Amino acid sequence: MNTPNDEQFFAALPRSKDAEPRSEFVEALEAKLVQRARTKTNRPKRIVLKLATWTVSAATVAAAVWMMGVTPEIFKQSRFESQAYLVPRSFSSTEIKESELSQAAIRTLEKLYEKYPPFREAEKRVYVAKAPREVYNIDFRTFSNKDRTEVSLYARAKLDAKSGLLLGFDLEKIPGQEKVEGAPSKERIERQAKAFMEPFLGKNLEQYRIERVDGQEGADTVSHEAVRLQRYVNDVQVEGDNYVIGMSDAGHIRYINSGDSTGMNLDIGRFPPIAELPSPKKAESGLAEVMQLTYQRVGKKDVDYVLRYRENFFGYLDARTGKEVKTTLWRGESFRDSIAVKPGGKKTMVTSEKEAAAAMEFFGQKVEGFTFTGSNVPDYMMGDNEREYQAKKSERFMQLTTVNNRAAAFKISYPELREGDPTLAVAELQERAILFLEPYLDSRVKTVRMQEQIYVMGRQVELNFVREVNGVMVPDQFYKITLDGQTGEIIGATLTFPHEQETFPDASKVISAEAAARVYLQHKSFSPRYVFPLENNRIQEKPVLVYSAEILKSNGDVDAITGEWLPYE
């Protein structure tokens, strides 16, 4: 892409079909995304975002998402993870032959061919992704010259592998479409959306209602008209089962995005009846189990910590049992037991490229033959008082990050790390990570806890740890260690450091989790929902009736000492 500046480059990036970023950009971007996500001390409002993840590279999509102001995890779920709580976006898939498509998927393709005859003769590439549900991602291309440099048709479709249901559609370039006369009215857009979906949903279309599209949903909703079809059963909303359908300036369907659970089970007879829906009282008892006590720092510059109860779940409690129900929408975190550590207190300062090389050696890395320079990442993408240095030798890339001139993070990469799978057990990786981490821990750090969620991208395995004080976690003091999952080599680390002066209130004087849950529910209402739960990194086909906390209306925490409700600013 030939663009004159950063802003136009990132604006054009989501539209790129074959962008292949440099390896150092992939690694730098991955590190930056994770670092930004980890360093936020306040809990952000949740953002609903639907991505077209067919053939655009992971770094390309991630860069576009980054510029939209969100920081999704871009790692594949670990196959050896002990508890598959988190379901990160996965950009990995396997290419298969068109003849390997299921009969249900072939029938759906025939319906697409009826609407778009050129698709039948177009070149097709088919990819299958297994988790959190099995789907086919299909590319359609037609080249208009022998050199295959000019594309006259380009589109993508996403189908459920089992049912063949259309889940996504993106019309990048379709020949012969003329502009529809007249400005598109709301009524016409709704009619077109329903007419398009009717062959694919049939009578099941009656289960979907037209709703307003939020500015963060779908694609290009700022510059294109869009409509949302939300599914309801028994007049109860089915979470994650929806379509966002966008219209082009020419008045045609331009894209279709769906929720992660869309069409998992279209048989309304499989949904639990709501006639005997119990009161939310039982669900209230389950809420206390997911209230997490934490130390939170007051402001960016202050060093005093306060005790807060914060909800550590997405907001779904089984209406019958009160137990938490996890879905692909869940963004909570689970941690293992405390780990006693022996801090070494080592640190090094960096003010030049030469000192950057010395800092990499300080972290145990061999830098012979590497020449470090300042990173060309724009200042507006950097954190406060943050600076980056980088070096490349052949296919090996190194990056060092400093905060207030103190070496705080490093990352090394080479192509082999993006291939294959980890082979070492989590326990061994954890032991290696702790042994590496201890020399760099501040002397005040006595215990840490490791996050249950294990992030994997190729052979790279990311383990995350949080400092504990008085048995209570301090989320803004965290440590990320990245290892080669086959050799155990440390290939990256991100460190945070305690302030010189910091105070922590006595954790023995807090109110109970039950009391915190009651305060929480005074500011959040419970309402019934249907969800498709996530188990073993797979979306289940049996829906569950749940009570959902209306978290988007009043995000906040509970003061663990006074019981006061503290809304997020």
Side-chain angles (χ1 to χ4, degrees), residues 245-262:
I245 303 173
M247 310 295 294
S248 70
D249 293 334
H252 299 283
I253 298 292
R254 186 183 175 282
Y255 66 84
I256 297 173
N257 288 330
S258 65
D260 288 343
S261 301
T262 296

Side-chain angles (χ1 to χ4, degrees), residues 138-186:
I138 307 172
D139 282 8
F140 303 89
R141 271 194 182 91
T142 298
F143 295 93
S144 55
N145 62 343
K146 292 183 179 180
D147 295 334
R148 299 171 63 84
T149 58
E150 297 179 6
V151 178
S152 59
L153 181 151
Y154 181 67
R156 296 167 291 187
K158 180 179 180 180
L159 312 179
D160 183 276
K162 181 179 179 180
S163 68
L165 185 66
L166 180 68
L167 298 176
F169 196 41
D170 196 1
L171 295 169
E172 291 282 349
K173 193 171 185 179
I174 302 297
Q177 283 196 326
E178 298 180 356
K179 183 176 178 62
V180 177
E181 295 298 326
S185 65
K186 177 182 177 182

Side-chain angles (χ1 to χ4, degrees), residues 109-123:
L109 283 180
E110 287 295 329
K111 296 175 183 178
L112 276 178
Y113 297 156
E114 292 178 10
K115 290 180 176 290
Y116 302 96
F119 283 11
R120 189 182 297 275
E121 304 303 324
E123 294 185 13

Side-chain angles (χ1 to χ4, degrees), residues 25-194:
F25 177 76
V26 175
E27 301 302 332
L29 176 60
E30 177 264 317
K32 183 62 63 180
L33 286 170
V34 175
Q35 183 180 0
R36 290 288 177 83
R38 300 280 184 259
T39 52
K40 291 183 178 179
T41 56
N42 288 329
R43 291 180 60 85
K45 292 183 179 179
R46 280 134 173 119
I47 295 175
V48 179
L49 181 74
K50 303 302 176 187
L51 293 177
T53 57
W54 289 286
T55 58
V56 182
S57 67
T60 299
V61 176
V65 174
W66 184 13
M67 295 306 293
M68 291 182 231
V70 296
T71 52
E73 288 78 7
I74 57 173
F75 305 95
K76 186 172 69 174
Q77 186 73 23
S78 167
R79 64 180 176 83
F80 54 74
E81 182 175 354
S82 60
Q83 296 187 44
Y85 284 168
L86 183 64
V87 184
R89 290 286 179 185
S90 173
F91 294 88
S92 62
S93 58
T94 303
E95 186 169 3
I96 64 173
K97 298 178 181 179
E98 184 181 353
S99 59
E100 297 179 68
L101 288 169
S102 66
Q103 289 301 309
I106 292 174
R107 288 193 292 271
T108 299
L109 283 180
E110 287 295 329
K111 296 175 183 178
L112 276 178
Y113 297 156
E114 292 178 10
K115 290 180 176 290
Y116 302 96
F119 283 11
R120 189 182 297 275
E121 304 303 324
E123 294 185 13
K124 304 175 190 66
R125 299 191 70 175
V126 181
Y127 304 85
V128 60
K130 298 289 187 179
R133 64 191 291 185
E134 189 169 353
V135 297
Y136 297 130
N137 296 311
I138 307 172
D139 282 8
F140 303 89
R141 271 194 182 91
T142 298
F143 295 93
S144 55
N145 62 343
K146 292 183 179 180
D147 295 334
R148 299 171 63 84
T149 58
E150 297 179 6
V151 178
S152 59
L153 181 151
Y154 181 67
R156 296 167 291 187
K158 180 179 180 180
L159 312 179
D160 183 276
K162 181 179 179 180
S163 68
L165 185 66
L166 180 68
L167 298 176
F169 196 41
D170 196 1
L171 295 169
E172 291 282 349
K173 193 171 185 179
I174 302 297
Q177 283 196 326
E178 298 180 356
K179 183 176 178 62
V180 177
E181 295 298 326
S185 65
K186 177 182 177 182
E187 290 74 18
R188 192 177 79 184
I189 294 171
E190 292 178 0
R191 286 199 307 271
Q192 284 181 270
K194 287 185 175 181

Side-chain angles (χ1 to χ4, degrees), residues 465-536:
F465 302 86
V466 171
R467 180 192 177 189
E468 270 191 327
V469 174
N470 302 324
V472 178
M473 287 189 295
V474 188
D476 73 327
Q477 295 188 30
F478 62 88
Y479 317 96
K480 180 187 78 171
I481 306 299
T482 308
L483 307 93
D484 183 326
Q486 294 185 2
T487 68
E489 175 190 4
I490 304 296
I491 56 176
T494 298
L495 311 176
T496 58
F497 312 104
H499 296 272
E500 292 301 321
Q501 303 291 329
E502 59 181 13
T503 60
F504 295 92
D506 186 356
S508 66
K509 299 180 179 180
V510 299
I511 63 175
S512 67
E514 291 75 14
R518 288 192 292 271
V519 174
Y520 183 90
L521 287 174
Q522 291 174 6
H523 299 270
K524 300 174 184 283
S525 60
F526 268 158
S527 59
R529 293 284 194 276
Y530 287 115
V531 299
F532 291 94
L534 184 75
E535 295 179 9
N536 299 320

